[in-house]
Amino acid sequence: MARTRPGLRAALAVTAVIALTTALAQSSSQASPTGPLGSDDHGRPIYLNPTIPTQYRVNDLLRRMTLAEKVGQMTQIRVGKLRGDCNNANGPLVASCEQQVLVDAHVGSILSGGGDYPVDNTAKGWAQITNGIQHYALDNNRLKIPVLYGADGVHGDNNLVTATMFPQQIGVGATWDPALAEKMGAATSSTMRATGVFWNFAPVSDLSRDTRWGRYYETLSEDPTLAGSLSAALVKGMQAYDGKGATAKLTATAKHFAGYSEPINGHDRVPAQIPIRELQDVFLPAFQPQIDAGAKTAMANSGAVNGIPVHASKFMLTTELRQRLGFDGVTVSDWSDMASLATRYHVAPDYPTAIAMSVNAGVDMAMEPADAAGYTKALIDDVHNGLISQRRVDEAVGRILKLKFDLGLFEKPFVDENAADGIVNGAGLDLARQAATESTVLLRNDNKTLPLSTGVHKIVVAGDSANNPPQQFGGWTVNWQGVDPKGPTPPVVTPVQGIKEAVPNANVVAATDQASAVAQAADADAVVVVLGEKAGAEGNNDNENPALTAAQQSLVDSLKATGKPVVVVLMLGRPLVLGSVASAPTLLADWLPGSEGGHALADILFGKANPSGKLSVSWPKTVGDEPMSYDQLPGTNGGPSSGYDPLFPFGYGLSYTTYATSAPTLSAPTVRADGKQTVSVTVTNTGAVAGTDVVPVYVHQPVSPVLVPDKRLVGFTRVDLKPGESKTVQVTFDVSKLAVTVGDVDATGKREVEKGAYSVVVGSAQAPFTVR
């Protein structure tokens, strides 16, 4: 049976629905001659009847809208333009400001950027401001189209100071636990929806490639299968609906589509050079699971790839995103990106031309934070001047209206202000603790120092992140660049606090400098050193030398010299080059663990929890190895460290117990290119304590006309085991994961699975199979 491309299927479906809608409108008009075109049996417009199928409602509403009302729906403005001085100063909503944006410019979406919180940064305060905006829009909007409010909830409802903060995505990646990620997504959705925010600009599907990049901590993994699996789980959780009907639904966002995370020199938004083959075979597959999971919006990469800004690329936003990957939702630009086509990239001579380039490429809504009137006028002029077709406007607005209908905003635009605090405050603490615990990776335990005894008499806790909430949270926490040390702090348990709670009878000394730490270590049973980096976001967080500082290394060296057991905890947003700390006998990667980081760390240190985290990224030995990933292609190179040579490899992580894994067996020796393969292995806990093992499944392709990595991750599973227990687990993967873009250097061929010999690899064992 011939298969129709997803984009073509969607177009055919829309065409059919338009025809049906027209027929329904004509029928309604004939049945009620005195009523307006498109009214139901009760005289309501079709679009206001929730029992009518969504696309009928969309088309009915579209026919009623003026061009000005339509382009307003294609506009998203920063909340600061509605309050205070109408120019981003915080303060109460101001009617004259709202008039300019919501009425005069007909703006259909508002966002809070990092730090755009209400004067009363509580759940109730958020609910009051989103309800206030919604009331003003609906009271002054002849068609009663609700506003869609968006914000970045990248590690929980992280704009809200009273909310629980989950680990940043780099830590979520280390859990290798999609089920946990889905729960985190659902918890984030619950708190955001309670405050009237129904659009979450998360999760991030960009791949981890270069530790110099300031957004590295927002990524899940360097591998597209792992990143895709976890991002899809987050989407499922965020877009799950509790069925209680109290609020509208929430939409997640696939971002930043695509190729954003490998700028050519490691600096944020510097243009990238990514061969089409690598783009299609490595970067885009990380987005496919999110789209398959139903992500309703996508955010265009604001960087350029191969000389073209992605938000002006029809190839990326239409050919790749819609026609090849099957996305059918709303595409939004990033912050002020349309203007940058003229002012920064200089690919457009002026603002109206820039808008036309981006809209025609496939951007449906502009995140244009500052100038509602300027943007909407320019877009209207573009239509009148023939730069943008009315059909393209209707297509974009139709998608936006469909999203609002699907979320239930027309029926449930408001939230219960008095219930918001009760829903948000204290929610998700147990989940945050579990996530922080599962994300912790035991990198080295040479002397079996861990777990520590709860009977210790004295522990020294030192290091710049031992009692430092901003560094524990990272960026995008209350403010764009992270928590202001002088401002309010979200709920948090630091390592010092967590250790004190875990061993209440011990003398826990929080040393504030190297000299006092060394002096206090003299009669201590153990020393815990927690090292971190300053919180930051985007370009401000770029780091040309992503390594531990000389002072951090000196602290660890001096404490090691005391002869006391030293546990080094790396509370980082990226794997820094460790220098002399690389030889520390006890190392833990704790990432940016969020609110419950101190409890989770103590659980690991004292054996209440057995570490199960595995690296979702490669840990480099030197800065010169960047960008780095395990899927480096083979070549004739032979110089020292020119191959894949990390300090700790992708997938690495130790435990307090040991595991044995059998050789894999397969469901079939021969499979079709569009088929599935199931891998079975038996895992045994050969140690003395219970634990959870992560079983990654790779595929090796002995011969390929197109270069492929030595092995590619195709699936994984987690297995809980008691001491001595064995379990047989299965991992099923789509053979299509092995597809490559065939052809020569120009990569003009199709993506397809090459026929021939392959092997499944689990641990050091292999099982061959053939693709026919």
Side-chain angles (χ1 to χ4, degrees):
M1 181 178 177
R3 299 182 66 187
T4 307
R5 290 180 305 173
L8 181 57
R9 289 200 303 270
L12 291 173
V14 170
T15 300
V17 170
I18 289 173
L20 286 171
T21 307
T22 302
L24 179 59
Q26 292 171 344
S27 173
S28 297
S29 179
Q30 292 167 0
S32 180
T34 59
L37 181 67
S39 59
D40 64 14
D41 292 338
H42 301 286
R44 289 180 300 180
I46 285 175
Y47 76 90
L48 290 179
N49 184 340
T51 67
I52 300 294
T54 297
Q55 196 62 52
Y56 298 169
R57 301 175 73 186
V58 169
N59 292 330
D60 180 65
L61 180 51
L62 268 176
R63 286 196 304 274
R64 301 170 186 271
M65 298 174 71
T66 65
L67 178 59
E69 289 168 334
K70 289 177 180 178
V71 301
Q73 291 300 308
M74 298 172 66
T75 313
Q76 185 176 69
I77 297 296
R78 185 178 179 184
V79 68
K81 303 300 290 186
L82 307 178
R83 64 186 186 183
D85 62 354
C86 304
N87 196 28
N88 300 318
N90 206 341
L93 293 171
V94 177
S96 60
C97 306
E98 294 179 284
Q99 170 76 29
Q100 294 171 18
V101 174
L102 301 173
V103 179
D104 297 345
H106 307 284
V107 168
S109 183
I110 303 298
L111 83 150
S112 282
D116 277 339
Y117 43 77
V119 174
D120 175 21
N121 192 2
T122 63
K124 184 175 184 178
W126 274 86
Q128 287 174 333
I129 198 167
T130 58
N131 275 351
I133 292 169
Q134 200 72 269
H135 275 294
Y136 192 93
L138 293 174
D139 290 346
N140 295 277
N141 177 334
R142 73 178 184 92
L143 294 173
K144 307 301 180 187
I145 304 174
V147 166
L148 175 54
Y149 203 106
D152 295 86
V154 294
H155 64 120
D157 194 355
N158 47 256
N159 303 284
L160 176 51
V161 75
T162 62
T164 299
M165 305 294 157
F166 294 124
Q168 296 276 2
Q169 281 198 183
I170 188 66
V172 178
T175 69
W176 293 60
D177 191 345
L180 175 63
E182 186 170 346
K183 292 178 183 177
M184 292 168 62
T188 300
S189 173
S190 176
T191 57
M192 294 185 82
R193 289 187 296 111
T195 63
V197 179
F198 299 107
W199 188 352
N200 188 6
F201 304 129
V204 173
S205 287
D206 300 303
L207 295 181
S208 325
R209 292 278 144 166
D210 194 325
T211 58
R212 297 173 297 178
W213 186 48
R215 306 193 76 165
Y216 193 98
Y217 66 90
E218 295 182 55
T219 65
L220 289 159
S221 176
E222 68 188 41
D223 178 82
T225 292
L226 180 55
S229 176
L230 291 168
S231 64
L234 287 165
V235 167
K236 290 177 183 176
M238 289 176 189
Q239 296 190 170
Y241 195 49
D242 57 20
K244 297 177 183 178
T247 62
K249 302 175 185 178
L250 177 140
T251 178
T253 306
K255 75 176 194 183
H256 308 81
F257 190 87
Y260 179 35
S261 59
E262 198 170 6
I264 199 163
N265 64 0
H267 284 281
D268 187 48
R269 290 182 173 86
V270 167
Q273 292 292 326
I274 304 174
I276 292 298
R277 177 171 281 117
E278 183 180 6
L279 185 70
Q280 293 184 160
D281 296 351
V282 179
F283 284 85
L284 300 192
F287 286 87
Q288 187 69 70
Q290 248 184 303
I291 293 168
D292 292 344
K296 297 180 183 298
T297 69
M299 182 179 290
N301 172 13
S302 59
V305 173
N306 301 342
I308 303 296
V310 174
H311 51 288
S313 169
K314 191 166 187 175
F315 171 76
M316 289 293 290
L317 300 183
T318 300
T319 303
E320 294 285 6
L321 178 60
R322 294 194 181 274
Q323 295 174 2
R324 295 186 182 176
L325 273 63
F327 177 70
D328 62 0
V330 173
T331 301
V332 64
S333 75
D334 208 337
W335 189 271
S336 199
D337 275 352
M338 289 189 184
S340 72
L341 294 175
T343 61
R344 306 293 293 275
Y345 286 113
H346 306 295
V347 296
D350 51 45
Y351 190 35
T353 306
I355 292 171
M357 290 177 66
S358 192
V359 170
N360 289 331
V363 174
D364 300 314
M365 183 187 292
M367 186 184 287
E368 180 52 60
D371 187 6
Y375 176 77
T376 54
K377 180 182 183 304
L379 182 48
I380 290 170
D381 289 345
D382 280 346
V383 175
H384 289 157
N385 294 329
L387 295 179
I388 300 174
S389 70
Q390 181 70 58
R391 181 175 181 178
R392 172 67 188 110
V393 169
D394 285 352
E395 178 183 59
V397 177
R399 291 169 180 161
I400 294 163
L401 295 176
K402 182 179 185 299
L403 175 61
K404 292 185 175 184
F405 283 122
D406 286 345
L407 295 179
L409 283 173
F410 278 80
E411 289 71 51
K412 302 166 188 172
F414 305 110
V415 295
D416 185 345
E417 298 170 10
N418 294 321
D421 284 332
I423 294 172
V424 172
N425 297 347
L429 287 173
D430 289 345
L431 189 60
R433 185 170 184 165
Q434 179 188 354
T437 303
E438 288 191 17
S439 71
T440 304
V441 182
L442 180 59
L443 297 172
R444 188 173 288 140
N445 196 20
D446 293 349
N447 301 326
K448 306 300 181 189
T449 298
L450 295 179
L452 299 171
S453 169
T454 54
V456 293
H457 299 289
K458 181 180 180 181
I459 291 182
V460 176
V461 186
D464 54 281
S465 282
N467 204 25
N468 189 331
Q471 292 190 181
Q472 183 167 328
F473 290 126
W476 294 106
T477 308
V478 184
N479 298 290
W480 176 40
Q481 295 296 318
V483 174
D484 182 349
K486 298 178 181 179
T489 300
V492 65
V493 177
T494 67
V496 168
Q497 294 169 323
I499 290 170
K500 285 182 176 180
E501 286 186 32
V503 284
N505 297 321
N507 180 17
V508 178
V509 178
T512 56
D513 56 54
Q514 181 170 318
S516 63
V518 170
Q520 290 290 344
D523 62 344
D525 297 302
V527 180
V528 177
V529 186
V530 189
L531 306 178
E533 57 181 336
K534 186 174 182 285
E538 301 192 15
N540 292 345
N541 199 43
D542 291 344
N543 188 343
E544 293 179 346
N545 184 31
L548 291 179
T549 66
Q552 289 173 320
Q553 295 178 60
S554 175
L555 173 62
V556 174
D557 291 342
S558 64
L559 289 168
K560 284 167 57 181
T562 67
K564 298 294 183 176
V566 177
V567 179
V568 179
V569 179
L570 304 167
M571 191 175 283
L572 305 169
R574 51 190 140 198
L576 297 181
V577 172
L578 300 181
S580 63
V581 177
S583 63
T586 311
L587 277 171
L588 280 169
D590 202 38
W591 310 112
L592 298 172
S595 293
E596 285 292 290
H599 281 150
L601 177 60
D603 289 344
I604 295 287
L605 291 176
F606 296 100
K608 184 176 180 180
N610 188 350
S612 62
K614 305 290 183 184
L615 291 181
S616 64
V617 295
S618 303
W619 203 294
K621 292 178 180 176
T622 67
V623 175
D625 279 337
E626 296 304 320
M628 170 179 267
S629 59
Y630 85 98
D631 53 359
Q632 180 175 331
L633 297 177
T636 57
N637 47 304
S641 195
S642 69
Y644 180 60
D645 185 30
L647 179 64
F648 299 108
F650 172 81
Y652 179 83
L654 303 175
S655 170
Y656 295 155
T657 189
T658 53
Y659 305 98
T661 304
S662 70
T665 60
L666 307 180
S667 57
T670 302
V671 293
R672 291 167 50 96
D674 60 353
K676 296 179 182 291
Q677 180 69 277
T678 298
V679 183
S680 299
V681 294
T682 299
V683 186
T684 303
N685 183 343
T686 56
V689 296
T692 300
D693 194 22
V694 174
V695 182
V697 175
Y698 298 91
V699 166
H700 168 70
Q701 187 176 0
V703 178
S704 170
V706 174
L707 293 183
V708 294
D710 178 63
K711 60 182 184 179
R712 289 174 277 174
L713 185 72
V714 292
F716 59 93
T717 190
R718 290 170 55 90
V719 54
D720 301 327
L721 294 165
K722 299 173 183 177
E725 184 180 15
S726 296
K727 288 182 182 178
T728 298
V729 294
Q730 293 184 329
V731 173
T732 299
F733 66 91
D734 292 323
V735 179
S736 61
K737 282 184 175 291
L738 304 174
V740 295
T741 302
V742 300
D744 208 326
V745 173
D746 56 4
T748 56
K750 297 179 179 179
R751 288 197 76 235
E752 59 185 47
V753 180
E754 296 175 323
K755 296 179 180 179
Y758 294 81
S759 293
V760 164
V761 181
V762 179
S764 59
Q766 298 190 19
F769 70 98
T770 301
V771 175
R772 59 180 172 84

